[in-house]
Amino acid sequence: MLKMMTFFQGLPGQQPMPGTLDFRRSSQKLPSTSEVESEASMSEASSEDLIPPPEPGVAPDKEEEEALKKKKKKNKPKGLAGMFSVFTKGKKKKGQLSSAEPESEPETTLGLDAPLPSVEDLKVALELGQLEAARPLLALERELQEAAAGGAGEEELVWRQSKVEALYVLLRDLVLSVLRRPLEVAPERLRQALAVVVEQEREDRQAAAAGPGTSALAATRPRRWLQLWQRGVLEAAEERMGGRPAACAEGRSEAESSFLHMGRTMKEDLEAVVERLKPLFPPEFNVVATYAQSYHEHFAAHLAAMAQFELCERDTYMLLVWVQNLYPNDIINSPKLADELQGVGLGNLLPPKQIRLLEATFLSNEVVKVKELMDRALKLESQHWVQNVAPQRLDGHCHSELAIDIIQIISQAQSKAESITPELGMQIKQVLLAELSAFLRSYQRTFDEFLERCKQLSNYRANVIANINNCLSFRTAMEQKWQVPQDPLRPLNELKSHGFDSLLQDMFMDLKTLFKKFTQTRWTTPAETLEEIIATVGGKLSEFSELQDCFREELMEVIHLHLVKEYIIRLSKRRVILRTAEQQQQLAKHILANAEVIQNFCTQNGSPATWLHPALPRLAEIIRLQDPSAIKIEVATYATCYPDFSKGHLSAILAIKGNLSPSDVKSIRSILDVNTEVQEPSRSLFSLIKSQGRATPILPPSARTTKSWVWQVWNSRQN
């Protein structure tokens, strides 16, 4: 599975990302407005074009040209430093822009009263990268505007404006080149470039407020340098994010490496913007939001393009993890960026509708994958059973890996969904539980086929025990981790019950022969028979030692129930009718003694079935009592303990008491009428015992000839 959460760790074989923003100049030109295109056309002027033209129709002679050159040389300041000295002499005026004070507003009238440098000097300064030339250029532009207002000739104005605009193109390119790689220039130079943009934006606003004039000058504002800077940021983001990542780490696809590269680049670059650029940029640049939006747009465009194709399962999951988890949590809400990006409103990388479609695809993919993996695991496990492969032993218990494999398959699918969003994890949970329930039913059917067809295999019992032990792992995971209700666990209960039946089948067949001795002898002499029954059970218990402790206790409860049930069945199929109170009391004593033996044996061997303890002693009490009213009370109490105790079962017990009149029997049976509406018992005892049918009055042998139909009923009970 893709380890996306190691997102910000270095990739093997990949060079670490630089701590600065390497905003290299793009090979494409910056998009420009119509004004910028006009400026670019003006920049075609050559150096010779910067020399003022002669008056029309007049050709200067050599002497006049020499005099003019000497005059210009005399008036020209010495060097570029001298050129800008006219703007820095004396005390600095309030509001004058300084390299150390980028936040202050530049003086709009600075230098207008001083002699301006020539166009040639400004061109040289700008070509040398001197941003100080911005102020003289602005003054030159204003001088041109004043000349236009003063009625200068149109031809001269056009010529002079072309020179000014050509200089502005040089200045614009110089400023944008500095701002394009802001972390590679000195802070002072960056402040100068920012101050130039601020000044130009202010001039744009002033020009917009003044409205269009009637001058012969062409409209050159707004220049929109701030907008050009924003476009440059977008291009820089595309260049940074679109760079080829380092060689893919082993096990990571090209798409995964690309997403990792973009995510890490965006996070590190935005952190650099917050830490190093935000303190230098004026507020109107909104530098953090501008960079964040540019990176976000590129990231979103890349994901949108990828989402248009039919994605494989792995890429669908990767897209959702980035869109729903890594991008919003590890980038946008990372400790260094959360506060800065809170109000930017970047939004999701993909539209909500597309995200829902991807989530539906992910859920479908996972369900299909989970089902295939679970079916494969069951098929492999069942092949081991049929091939008589012995199960593993773990801590003295037969062990199977099937439950562990299935739980791991389900857990991994849910964890993948939760790694996208907790809500998606809840959605897939319900789907996975439905698939798990279907798997358990398939598991039970496969196990039942094995129980039926493979009894002759030497490892049959060991594999049965291993599968019963599997139920513990399934039940623990489903009840504790997924809080599953009991209904989906029903196949596990059936599997365990069928497994117990298979393990106990031979022993119960042996016990059936022994229990028949109770009806073949008088009830006063079966002590040896019960001892033989207990010895037979005790000798078989070692065969179940490899069951988990909880299942060994449950198995012992099944044995306990079987002993009590069979005892009651044989008691109901009595061969004698006891007509005296002494005989009935003697039988009750024997039943109590046998009940104690059964109870002690089963309890000592781990049976938790305390609910079976009253079953035989209370029947003994019903047989012992002689007063019909007392018998009624005892029957009512017994029916409370065992709601499945019916009139048919009661009639079979009362048939032993030969001294009860038919009216007494009818009256005692009627006490169960008040219990007919009792809810079904949670544990079954008498529902496992075939009822002896509708009770009839018990008559003495002399009456059998006159009541033949009663005799037929009585005789059927002897079998």
Side-chain angles (χ1 to χ4, degrees):
M1 188 179 72
L2 174 62
K3 299 180 180 178
M4 286 291 185
M5 305 312 293
T6 59
F7 161 65
F8 298 113
Q9 299 178 359
L11 292 174
Q14 182 174 358
Q15 294 298 324
M17 300 295 291
T20 61
L21 296 177
D22 182 19
F23 299 142
R24 297 178 292 275
R25 184 181 298 273
S26 174
S27 61
Q28 299 177 347
K29 292 185 178 180
L30 287 172
S32 60
T33 61
S34 59
E35 292 83 358
V36 174
E37 291 175 355
S38 174
E39 294 168 357
S41 65
M42 295 178 183
S43 67
E44 300 296 332
S46 63
S47 304
E48 289 77 5
D49 292 336
L50 296 178
I51 302 175
E55 295 183 9
V58 179
D61 55 20
K62 285 188 177 182
E63 292 181 1
E64 289 177 348
E65 287 184 9
E66 291 294 333
L68 181 60
K69 290 181 180 180
K70 290 180 180 180
K71 183 177 180 181
K72 289 173 67 177
K73 185 176 181 181
K74 180 179 180 181
N75 293 334
K76 183 177 180 180
K78 297 180 180 179
L80 293 176
M83 178 184 75
F84 295 113
S85 65
V86 297
F87 300 103
T88 56
K89 287 182 179 179
K91 186 177 180 180
K92 181 171 64 176
K93 294 182 181 181
K94 184 178 180 181
Q96 180 179 349
L97 182 64
S98 141
S99 60
E101 298 175 352
E103 296 82 2
S104 61
E105 290 290 334
E107 184 70 29
T108 59
T109 61
L110 181 63
L112 294 182
D113 296 334
L116 293 175
S118 67
V119 174
E120 298 95 321
D121 291 336
L122 289 176
K123 179 177 181 296
V124 173
L126 291 173
E127 289 175 344
L128 293 176
Q130 296 184 2
L131 292 170
E132 294 86 347
R135 278 302 180 79
L137 179 55
L138 178 58
L140 197 62
E141 181 185 11
R142 292 180 179 175
E143 183 182 66
L144 178 61
Q145 293 170 352
E146 291 174 359
E154 181 176 350
E155 185 177 353
E156 179 184 357
L157 291 175
V158 171
W159 175 78
R160 292 175 62 183
Q161 187 180 28
S162 67
K163 308 309 174 186
V164 170
E165 293 307 315
L167 293 175
Y168 264 118
V169 170
L170 293 176
L171 179 61
R172 181 200 65 191
D173 292 345
L174 176 60
V175 169
L176 294 180
S177 67
V178 172
L179 297 183
R180 186 169 179 82
R181 309 175 73 172
L183 295 180
E184 294 187 4
V185 298
E188 185 62 31
R189 183 165 178 78
L190 179 60
R191 289 190 181 97
Q192 288 179 321
L194 294 171
V196 172
V197 176
V198 170
E199 189 172 50
Q200 291 300 315
E201 286 295 304
R202 184 174 62 252
E203 291 295 319
D204 284 351
R205 292 192 296 270
Q206 291 176 355
T214 59
S215 169
L217 295 175
T220 58
R221 291 194 181 276
R223 301 187 186 278
R224 298 188 179 91
W225 285 12
L226 184 61
Q227 182 179 345
L228 294 178
W229 167 75
Q230 292 169 345
R231 293 178 182 175
V233 171
L234 181 59
E235 290 182 359
E238 293 175 353
E239 183 180 344
R240 291 280 293 154
M241 300 277 279
R244 287 183 61 84
C248 300
E250 184 176 356
R252 183 174 293 144
S253 68
E254 184 178 351
E256 291 164 354
S257 297
S258 176
F259 275 56
L260 190 63
H261 164 74
M262 288 192 295
R264 184 168 53 197
T265 299
M266 179 175 181
K267 183 173 186 289
E268 293 179 352
D269 286 4
L270 290 184
E271 287 178 351
V273 169
V274 170
E275 295 173 357
R276 301 177 60 183
L277 295 187
K278 184 182 177 183
L280 300 176
F281 274 65
E284 55 262 44
F285 279 75
N286 206 5
V287 63
V288 176
T290 301
Y291 274 98
Q293 289 167 351
S294 298
Y295 279 75
H296 175 84
E297 288 179 14
H298 180 83
F299 213 149
H302 191 85
L303 265 68
M306 184 175 181
Q308 298 302 316
F309 296 94
E310 184 175 352
L311 302 175
C312 66
E313 174 192 333
R314 183 169 178 173
D315 287 343
T316 300
Y317 170 65
M318 177 194 65
L319 263 181
L320 285 172
V321 166
W322 274 100
V323 171
Q324 297 286 72
N325 185 359
L326 295 179
Y327 184 79
N329 295 327
D330 292 350
I331 298 179
I332 304 303
N333 288 314
S334 63
K336 293 182 180 180
L337 299 178
D339 293 339
E340 299 292 340
L341 301 180
Q342 188 173 8
V344 177
L346 296 178
N348 292 324
L349 288 172
L350 290 176
K353 182 178 180 180
Q354 197 164 23
I355 292 175
R356 289 194 297 271
L357 289 175
L358 286 172
E359 288 178 342
T361 303
F362 167 79
L363 292 176
S364 176
N365 290 341
E366 284 303 305
V367 169
V368 171
K369 180 179 178 181
V370 164
K371 190 175 184 304
E372 290 177 353
L373 291 175
M374 291 194 299
D375 290 346
R376 189 185 307 165
L378 178 58
K379 183 178 180 180
L380 181 63
E381 182 71 13
S382 61
Q383 287 176 351
H384 290 167
W385 309 337
V386 175
Q387 294 169 1
N388 200 30
V389 177
Q392 303 177 38
R393 262 68 176 183
L394 183 64
D395 298 330
H397 305 297
C398 292
H399 174 73
S400 168
E401 294 288 329
L402 179 63
I404 297 175
D405 293 341
I406 299 302
I407 293 169
Q408 187 175 22
I409 291 169
I410 296 291
S411 299
Q412 286 180 349
Q414 185 171 2
S415 297
K416 283 181 68 176
E418 290 174 346
S419 70
I420 297 172
T421 62
E423 294 76 16
L424 195 61
M426 291 301 297
Q427 290 182 38
I428 202 173
K429 177 181 178 181
Q430 304 305 319
V431 181
L432 291 176
L433 289 180
E435 290 298 324
L436 179 58
S437 180
F439 167 80
L440 292 179
R441 291 193 294 270
S442 176
Y443 178 28
Q444 179 201 336
R445 290 192 299 269
T446 305
F447 182 67
D448 286 346
E449 292 176 2
F450 166 71
L451 293 179
E452 185 67 24
R453 299 177 181 179
C454 301
K455 294 180 180 180
Q456 74 283 359
L457 298 178
S458 59
N459 288 309
Y460 173 79
R461 294 178 65 85
N463 277 313
V464 171
I465 291 175
N467 280 279
I468 294 174
N469 289 340
N470 264 341
C471 296
L472 178 61
S473 300
F474 277 121
R475 183 185 299 166
T476 301
M478 296 177 72
E479 289 180 349
Q480 296 181 2
K481 183 175 181 179
W482 297 313
Q483 293 81 46
V484 179
Q486 287 298 317
D487 189 61
L489 297 176
R490 187 174 300 171
L492 291 177
N493 296 332
E494 293 293 326
L495 185 149
K496 177 189 66 177
S497 176
H498 295 172
F500 283 168
D501 291 344
S502 177
L503 293 176
L504 296 173
Q505 185 176 16
D506 292 342
M507 183 177 72
F508 285 175
M509 289 295 294
D510 295 340
L511 293 179
K512 185 175 182 179
T513 303
L514 294 174
F515 269 109
K516 283 184 178 180
K517 293 182 179 180
F518 279 113
T519 55
Q520 295 170 356
T521 60
R522 297 181 61 85
W523 276 92
T524 54
T525 59
E528 297 82 1
T529 300
L530 184 60
E531 290 178 0
E532 191 175 354
I533 290 173
I534 296 300
T536 299
V537 174
K540 296 284 187 178
L541 292 182
S542 60
E543 298 178 5
F544 314 123
S545 61
E546 292 182 314
L547 281 169
Q548 292 285 350
D549 294 345
C550 61
F551 294 130
R552 193 161 58 247
E553 291 178 359
E554 290 186 44
L555 183 75
M556 197 63 222
E557 182 176 3
V558 173
I559 295 174
H560 191 171
L561 173 62
H562 182 78
L563 295 178
V564 172
K565 179 194 72 172
E566 289 296 320
Y567 194 95
I568 294 174
I569 290 174
R570 296 304 159 184
L571 182 62
S572 300
K573 293 183 177 181
R574 74 280 178 274
R575 291 292 186 185
V576 294
I577 298 176
L578 305 178
R579 303 182 184 280
T580 66
E582 292 78 11
Q583 290 176 326
Q584 295 171 15
Q585 290 172 358
Q586 185 68 22
L587 176 60
K589 288 181 180 179
H590 282 289
I591 294 173
L592 285 174
N594 292 337
E596 184 177 5
V597 171
I598 293 173
Q599 177 179 324
N600 290 339
F601 171 76
C602 293
T603 302
Q604 290 171 2
N605 285 280
S607 171
T610 56
W611 64 281
L612 288 172
H613 292 175
L616 295 179
R618 287 194 178 277
L619 284 181
E621 186 67 8
I622 292 173
I623 294 173
R624 185 188 69 82
L625 292 173
Q626 301 300 310
D627 181 30
S629 297
I631 294 174
K632 285 183 180 181
I633 295 174
E634 190 63 31
V635 169
T637 303
Y638 197 77
T640 302
C641 296
Y642 303 100
D644 54 350
F645 183 60
S646 68
K647 289 183 179 181
H649 299 119
L650 176 60
S651 297
I653 299 300
L654 294 179
I656 298 174
K657 300 173 70 64
N659 57 353
L660 286 176
S661 67
S663 60
D664 288 339
V665 172
K666 182 177 181 180
S667 176
I668 294 171
R669 290 177 68 250
S670 67
I671 198 66
L672 293 180
D673 292 338
V674 299
N675 294 316
T676 56
E677 301 298 327
V678 175
Q679 189 177 3
E680 287 295 322
S682 58
R683 298 184 178 94
S684 298
L685 173 58
F686 286 92
S687 58
L688 304 176
I689 301 173
K690 184 178 179 180
S691 174
Q692 298 300 311
R694 180 179 176 84
T696 57
I698 301 176
L699 302 178
S702 59
R704 294 175 187 169
T705 57
T706 59
K707 300 290 184 179
S708 59
W709 63 273
V710 175
W711 163 247
Q712 293 174 2
V713 173
W714 181 88
N715 189 50
S716 66
R717 293 174 184 167
Q718 312 313 308
N719 303 321

